[in-house]
Amino acid sequence: MAALAESPHAFRERTEEAAQRSDVEWDALAEKLAAQVTMAMVLVEHEAEPIGMTFVFLDEADAGGARIGGVWVAPAERRQHLGKELVHAACTWVEARARRRIRLWVATDTAGAVHLYRSCGFAGTGVSKPFPGQEPRVIAELMRDLGAPTT
């Protein structure tokens, strides 16, 4: 909820929509994610408060690939390499599943996010599209070949 409230422009779901879920629904979602072998959530907490998160999942459309999404770092924790640590953890999870590449979508108007992903070894694929539900914003696809060095 903190991620949605602080960075509503970064996600498809709105805070108001997520707030309508009951505790039972949130618990069921957490159990579903925990039981998955094709997806994972990386969560970083400090004193029981979430300060960073991302999702990663194997890409059903690309047998050698995976995708990362929902990367968020609390404003007070930004510029301290937590974003890089989250991306690294996602890449490590993907590599452990013998996938060779990881892709993500990033809003082109979020310079900090674009810089983060490029510093983690991601490069543009040349594919872009309107941000779903937030047109005329644009999202661009980035990809990293795993095993490739980062800066």
Side-chain angles (χ1 to χ4, degrees):
M1 293 294 291
L4 290 173
E6 189 280 321
S7 300
H9 59 281
F11 301 95
R12 290 180 71 179
E13 186 172 33
R14 298 284 170 245
T15 307
E16 299 79 24
E17 296 164 349
Q20 303 238 346
R21 291 187 191 156
S22 69
D23 287 346
V24 171
E25 290 172 300
W26 283 112
D27 289 344
L29 177 60
E31 286 179 25
K32 179 181 174 183
L33 289 173
Q36 291 292 319
V37 294
T38 60
M39 68 172 59
M41 178 181 188
V42 180
L43 180 65
V44 178
E45 293 181 324
H46 177 70
E47 296 180 0
E49 290 295 321
I51 61 170
M53 70 169 195
T54 190
F55 293 94
V56 60
F57 56 95
L58 303 181
D59 190 341
E60 293 178 10
D62 177 3
R67 292 207 171 254
I68 187 173
V71 177
W72 174 79
V73 174
E77 306 299 327
R78 292 179 185 160
R79 311 257 186 271
Q80 297 180 42
H81 305 289
L82 184 56
K84 279 188 174 186
E85 291 175 20
L86 288 165
V87 171
H88 176 74
C91 290
T92 299
W93 185 89
V94 170
E95 288 176 312
R97 281 141 187 87
R99 297 293 176 118
R100 298 182 307 275
R101 68 195 143 270
I102 189 166
R103 298 173 196 261
L104 58 84
W105 291 98
V106 63
T108 58
D109 61 355
T110 55
V114 171
H115 175 75
L116 165 66
Y117 299 130
R118 292 199 180 278
S119 73
C120 290
F122 286 82
T125 65
V127 178
S128 63
K129 62 184 181 182
F131 195 126
Q134 295 188 34
E135 296 81 4
R137 293 181 75 206
V138 174
I139 54 176
E141 184 182 53
L142 303 181
M143 184 180 78
R144 176 179 163 196
D145 287 324
L146 296 173
T150 61
T151 57

